[in-house]
Amino acid sequence: MGKKFETEVIHNGYESSQFEGSLVPPLFQTSTFTFATAEQGEKRFAGEENGYIYSRLGNPTVKVLEERIAVLEKGEAGLAFGSGMAAVSAILLALTKTGDHVLCSQGVYGCTFGLLQLMKEKYHIDHDFSTMENKEIIENAIRTNTSVIYIETPINPTMQIVDLQLIAEIAKERGIPVVVDNTFCSPYLQNPLELGCDVVIHSATKYICGHGDVIAGLAVGKSEFINTVSKTTLKDIGGIISPFDAWLLLRGIKTLPVRMDRHCDNAEKVYQFLNEHEMVDTIYYPGDETHPQKDIIQKQMKKPGGIFSFTIKGSKETAQHFMNQLKLIKIAVSLGDAETLIQHPATMTHAVIPRDIRLQMGIDDTLLRLSVGLESWEDIVEDLKQAFVAISY
Ligand SMILES: *Cc1c(COP(=O)(O)O)cnc(C)c1O
């Protein structure tokens, strides 16, 4: 039996005795690997002998990370990429061909949206968005040419939830793979593979790194599929991670459960403050007692997470004025860092979406998204409090 999550994040995939006793996985900052003989090179290329060839095809530091994420996501095999988008594109391109259709959750990350547009325009791979609210809606949205179902949950920034178990059941009957971008939850809060989904993707840039100093991606799934991606859309398109970034991720991931607990606790406190504030209208937080999908949240998420959004009473200018008053909280996109970050979806992460569609998605001009950091929650609340006071004059 495997060890607990808190132990696996520190130890899995690494055996110090194989590396001169080095406590920490060594950084193999090398592009290529030498062969002892020409015959050895021949055998490695033929797949008849295990061993490294060239770092785009595999690297020992990267391998530790890949084994570790596979175990944390309860999957068979993992793969690391140079960015979350490199992971998304390699997985989607591996699962589609011209004439296929991708069924997506109501909201997807902005650049994923851009990639889907590109796939449609250049390769005639169509896509649709669905609320996926119940069985009937899902079944009606699936087409005969649907070759992949692609989900984000909670959906950024309005925190709607997709029932992963339900989707997986419906997809399994039809043999359609379900891919989940699990970035917002990290493997600590949600494990889609356990619920029957097929592939999990992470922008490791966010919670997995946790320190705001790396851009990287990860994917986990069945060995056969991950192997194929490794030898095709990763190797040949080339979106690999650098060994140094893999090394930094191995350093960051050790504290993932400790950080996630604090992110979640802090978010709850900050939510409580905002929920009672007279200048706040609506809050979108998976931990909200009145969240319409509370049952699904309790079923598939360990905790409500560290991110939520809220609308401020007033206009776009009020929202921007409020952001400008913040001192501790930084104005930045990205999430999952030690620093609390705030952003304005209508003019930042979701600016490319036409205004009417954006409004339908609940992305009002007064909506702000907060990624609650690891600072003292009292200081975060204090900063928000003084900004509210400053804009009321
Ligand atoms: C940031 C993000 C991505 C893209 O990841 P990069 O590492 O920036 O390429 C994809 N999906 C979600 C949900 C994200 O937050």
Side-chain angles (χ1 to χ4, degrees), residues 83-86 88 109 112 152 181 183-184 203 205-206 215-216 335:
S83 70
M85 283 318 301
V88 173
Y109 182 72
T112 303
E152 286 183 24
D181 180 335
T183 301
F184 270 48
S203 166
T205 311
K206 317 292 167 57
I215 287 192
L335 52 102

Side-chain angles (χ1 to χ4, degrees), residues 179-250:
V179 177
V180 180
D181 180 335
N182 204 26
T183 301
F184 270 48
C185 286
S186 90
Y188 183 60
L189 299 184
Q190 178 171 280
N191 295 123
L193 301 183
E194 273 195 327
L195 299 166
C197 300
D198 301 279
V199 182
V200 168
I201 293 174
H202 284 282
S203 166
T205 311
K206 317 292 167 57
Y207 285 116
I208 290 176
C209 170
H211 295 72
D213 47 15
V214 171
I215 287 192
L218 294 166
V220 179
K222 289 248 163 26
S223 297
E224 196 187 338
F225 174 69
I226 291 296
N227 244 323
T228 302
V229 174
S230 167
K231 289 179 179 151
T232 56
T233 51
L234 173 57
K235 171 176 81 69
D236 298 337
I237 298 179
I240 58 149
I241 192 170
S242 85
F244 181 56
D245 285 348
W247 186 85
L248 282 170
L249 289 185
L250 283 167

Side-chain angles (χ1 to χ4, degrees), residues 127-327:
H127 62 265
D128 272 317
F129 298 96
S130 165
T131 60
M132 302 184 172
E133 263 167 325
N134 58 44
K135 195 163 188 236
E136 204 186 342
I137 292 178
I138 301 164
E139 284 178 336
N140 287 336
I142 293 174
R143 296 203 212 146
T144 49
N145 59 338
T146 302
S147 69
V148 52
I149 297 178
Y150 188 90
I151 297 166
E152 286 183 24
T153 179
I155 296 173
N156 177 31
T158 47
M159 303 291 146
Q160 289 120 292
I161 305 293
V162 176
D163 186 335
L164 293 175
Q165 199 172 9
L166 177 66
I167 293 272
E169 276 167 21
I170 298 168
K172 195 135 287 166
E173 283 170 19
R174 291 161 178 77
I176 304 169
V178 178
V179 177
V180 180
D181 180 335
N182 204 26
T183 301
F184 270 48
C185 286
S186 90
Y188 183 60
L189 299 184
Q190 178 171 280
N191 295 123
L193 301 183
E194 273 195 327
L195 299 166
C197 300
D198 301 279
V199 182
V200 168
I201 293 174
H202 284 282
S203 166
T205 311
K206 317 292 167 57
Y207 285 116
I208 290 176
C209 170
H211 295 72
D213 47 15
V214 171
I215 287 192
L218 294 166
V220 179
K222 289 248 163 26
S223 297
E224 196 187 338
F225 174 69
I226 291 296
N227 244 323
T228 302
V229 174
S230 167
K231 289 179 179 151
T232 56
T233 51
L234 173 57
K235 171 176 81 69
D236 298 337
I237 298 179
I240 58 149
I241 192 170
S242 85
F244 181 56
D245 285 348
W247 186 85
L248 282 170
L249 289 185
L250 283 167
R251 173 173 153 135
I253 208 169
K254 288 185 195 183
T255 53
L256 180 67
V258 181
R259 287 186 282 110
M260 289 313 291
D261 282 340
R262 175 68 81 91
H263 281 298
C264 293
D265 289 351
N266 278 0
E268 196 183 327
K269 295 286 191 192
V270 177
Y271 160 75
Q272 282 164 359
F273 164 73
L274 290 172
N275 198 31
E276 279 165 17
H277 203 284
E278 58 186 20
M279 292 182 77
V280 173
D281 242 338
T282 314
I283 307 191
Y284 302 101
Y285 172 55
D288 187 339
E289 281 301 312
T290 62
H291 195 293
Q293 294 164 301
K294 200 168 169 232
D295 291 349
I296 309 171
I297 293 169
Q298 281 176 351
K299 186 173 73 168
Q300 68 190 28
M301 290 172 71
K302 187 173 171 181
K303 289 182 178 192
I307 302 156
F308 63 86
S309 303
F310 62 98
T311 57
I312 190 164
K313 283 181 186 158
S315 60
K316 173 183 147 188
E317 286 69 30
T318 318
Q320 290 181 326
H321 186 39
F322 176 76
M323 291 168 87
N324 292 337
Q325 305 311 312
L326 294 165
K327 297 188 170 95

